[in-house]
């Protein structure tokens, strides 16, 4: 209900990265576009876990949150102060300017605010970032928030001389961004003390956990996103290759318990989520049709499978999929 929202606010999705809509003037907001973005962002395949497999995201229940728009009176772009803690002890401070603007810059300091000679994720600023007035408070809060974790990045904003915690990061950039010079990669790594005993216990007895385990989508995410992109091209009357079109047709029952789909070469049966693909010819179609008890349905089966709807030199966007048993599994758990 956008009518009930204030003139300034921020919409976020809780399982993503960069899935934010910052509204500084509600009268200029394209509400339809905002709704489309939010709908896409809570799609199961939009979970940030599938971007680089950061485990903490995996079983988050997707939610849309609305937060207060906050602005410092002295600047248009807030500085993010990320304090890297190991076993509850702050070691380094990552000060990021112009965050999420495309011109991000950052410096890394020790806990006494001495600038360190290294580059990580973004280039350094060409000016000195002033030491925050309440740095000691930030460090104290970071100690308390990180004391139960092997490693944690604790993010703070300083807005009008008030401190706000904005994010807890368990693996910055999925641990994939390089340090320059490389020796700093080892220095950060030496701070991590891995436990000798296993602390994670697994319990798959309850129904909710079993259901969430069944939503393991790693093996299909890339293909799904490629299919989604091709489908959007078709909706916009753009041309895709015949090979991509055939793949899109065969996968039209992408995530179902029961279903039948086909392209011009294969028939796919989905039974209890298990997909069986059969390379078809007229003899096989006739054998399968024999099991259909009503002649009208039997003839319809034959006709639909052998319909030719790939035009020479292009793609006909008129889909003719076969859906006799179509029950979708609801992934919005």
């Amino acid at each position: 209900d956008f009518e009930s929202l204030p003139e300034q606010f921020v919409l976020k999705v809780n399982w993503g990265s960069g899935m934010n809509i910052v509204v500084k003037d509600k009268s200029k907001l394209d509400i339809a576009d905002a709704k489309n973005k939010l709908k896409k962002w809570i799609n199961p395949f939009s979970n940030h876990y599938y971007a680089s497999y950061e485990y903490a995201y995996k079983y988050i229940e997707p939610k849309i949150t609305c937060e207060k728009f906050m602005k410092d009176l002295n600047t248009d772009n807030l500085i993010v102060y990320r304090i890297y803690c190991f076993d509850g002890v702050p070691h380094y401070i990552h000060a990021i300017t112009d965050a999420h603007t495309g011109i991000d810059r950052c410096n890394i300091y020790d806990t006494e605010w001495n600038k360190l000679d290294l580059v990580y994720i973004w280039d350094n600023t060409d000016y000195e970032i002033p030491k925050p007035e309440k740095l000691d408070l930030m460090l104290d809060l970071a100690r308390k928030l990180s004391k139960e974790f092997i490693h944690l990045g604790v993010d703070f904003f300083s807005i009008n001389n008030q401190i706000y915690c904005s994010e807890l990061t368990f693996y910055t950039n999925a641990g994939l961004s390089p340090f320059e010079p490389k020796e700093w990669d080892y220095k950060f790594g030496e701070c991590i003390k891995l436990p000798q005993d296993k602390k994670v216990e697994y319990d798959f007895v309850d129904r909710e956990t079993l259901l969430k385990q069944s939503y393991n989508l790693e093996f299909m995410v890339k293909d799904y996103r490629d299919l989604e992109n091709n489908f959007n091209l078709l909706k916009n009357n753009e041309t895709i290759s015949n090979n991509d079109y055939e793949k899109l047709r065969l996968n039209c029952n992408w995530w179902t318990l029961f279903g039948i789909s086909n392209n011009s070469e294969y028939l796919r049966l989905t039974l209890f989520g298990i997909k069986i693909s059969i390379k078809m010819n007229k003899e096989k179609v006739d054998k399968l049709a024999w099991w259909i008890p009503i002649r009208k349905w039997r003839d319809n089966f034959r006709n639909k499978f052998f319909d030719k709807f790939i035009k020479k030199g292009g793609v006909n966007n008129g889909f003719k999929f076969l859906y006799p048993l179509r029950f979708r599994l609801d992934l919005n758990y």
Side-chain angles (χ1 to χ4, degrees), residues 251-266:
N251 287 280
C252 62
N253 280 325
W254 182 256
W255 189 249
T256 59
L257 288 176
F258 305 96
I260 299 178
S261 59
N262 70 276
N263 59 20
S264 60
E265 189 175 5
Y266 287 92

Side-chain angles (χ1 to χ4, degrees), residues 50 58-59 203-217 255 257 329-333:
Y50 298 111
K58 188 170 186 179
Y59 298 125
D203 179 8
F204 301 120
V205 175
D206 64 286
R207 177 177 177 274
E208 284 299 314
T209 304
L210 286 171
L211 282 173
K212 288 179 180 180
Q213 287 295 317
S214 72
Y215 303 149
N216 188 342
L217 308 177
W255 189 249
L257 288 176
L329 179 64
D330 183 8
L331 295 181
N332 295 321
Y333 48 87

Side-chain angles (χ1 to χ4, degrees), residues 273-292:
I274 300 173
K275 295 176 175 60
I276 304 170
S277 298
I278 306 170
K279 191 168 184 177
M280 298 301 292
N281 54 38
K282 186 177 185 305
E283 182 182 355
K284 288 181 180 178
V285 171
D286 287 337
K287 284 183 178 180
L288 285 171
W290 184 85
W291 293 93
I292 301 175

Side-chain angles (χ1 to χ4, degrees), residues 2-30:
F2 282 84
E3 290 296 324
S4 65
L5 298 177
E7 292 305 306
Q8 295 182 319
F9 56 90
V10 179
L11 294 175
K12 298 181 178 181
V13 176
N14 64 332
W15 68 1
S17 178
M19 296 179 179
N20 311 313
I21 300 175
V22 179
V23 180
K24 298 181 181 180
D25 182 352
K26 189 169 71 171
S27 66
K28 298 179 181 179
L29 175 65
D30 185 334

